[in-house]
Amino acid sequence: LSAPAQRLLGVVAAGGPRVREPLIAAVCGLVEGERNESLRAAMDHRILAVEDDMYVFRHALLREAAYAELLPGERHRLHAAYGAALAERPELADGSLHAELARHWHAAGELRPALASSVAAASDAERRHGFAEAGAHYARALEVWDRVHDAADAAGTDLVTLLRRAAEANSLAGESSRAAALIR
């Protein structure tokens, strides 16, 4: 594939398992003609496919390989660009906006928005009775808590409440030992 097509594969790989074209356009920096040509080449080589108006890698290993080719700085910049694009245009999210934002902000090393998004994603998951998912989001929030200035303000809650909510989600997910550790 051409260099622009290879760069585009890295952009799509960083985006997640399924990425909408307008989101790719917001992140990749290629003009429309070059972007379309690169997407077409990736599809012709059977690397990408279109499912429900979203671009997907035909195989998870292809996505992993494209992501592994990115330099650490490229990964951070791409995830930061995805976070900014999703924050600006939430309708481009595939699934839970907060979960996608949390993933991208964490990967970008943007801890303050990562903390806020993780707490919001956990709340979203709890409303859907996805307690294991909520527990994972709370774990990510707790992981960065001490590294965020004024974390309670960013999270919209204090640490004790966050720990209680995390323990409750883990308990409801059947992770009683994790819940007990959080309570302690």
Side-chain angles (χ1 to χ4, degrees):
L1 293 175
S2 67
Q6 289 178 24
R7 280 195 312 274
L8 187 81
L9 287 177
V11 170
V12 176
R18 302 162 45 96
V19 188
R20 296 180 194 285
E21 185 169 358
L23 187 54
I24 295 168
V27 172
C28 78
L30 295 174
V31 296
E32 184 177 1
E34 195 171 28
R35 184 178 64 250
N36 288 341
E37 185 179 307
S38 296
L39 287 168
R40 172 64 58 202
M43 291 176 62
D44 289 347
H45 282 83
R46 304 193 53 76
I47 297 169
L48 293 179
V50 176
E51 293 178 4
D52 300 324
D53 292 332
M54 290 191 234
Y55 287 93
V56 298
F57 278 85
R58 288 192 178 269
H59 196 284
L61 292 176
L62 291 172
R63 179 173 174 249
E64 288 176 28
Y67 191 75
E69 289 294 313
L70 296 170
L71 298 172
E74 288 176 309
R75 288 180 190 156
H76 285 112
R77 284 187 296 280
L78 283 173
H79 285 293
Y82 271 112
L86 286 168
E88 185 178 311
R89 296 190 56 199
E91 72 276 8
L92 297 179
D94 175 38
S96 169
L97 170 66
H98 295 117
E100 285 192 50
L101 283 169
R103 182 173 64 82
H104 288 300
W105 290 132
H106 275 280
E110 299 287 341
L111 301 183
R112 188 173 182 82
L115 172 61
S117 298
S118 292
V119 172
S123 294
D124 291 349
E126 286 176 321
R127 280 191 290 281
R128 294 188 319 273
H129 301 286
F131 300 112
E133 180 185 348
H137 287 299
Y138 282 130
R140 289 182 102 176
L142 290 166
E143 177 184 307
V144 300
W145 182 274
D146 291 334
R147 296 182 285 160
V148 174
H149 175 70
D150 201 9
D153 182 53
T157 189
D158 59 77
L159 181 57
V160 172
T161 303
L162 186 63
L163 285 165
R164 182 189 55 75
R165 289 173 63 189
E168 185 176 304
N170 278 278
S171 177
L172 291 168
E175 297 289 335
S176 55
S177 60
R178 177 76 179 134
L182 288 164
I183 290 170
R184 277 194 291 280

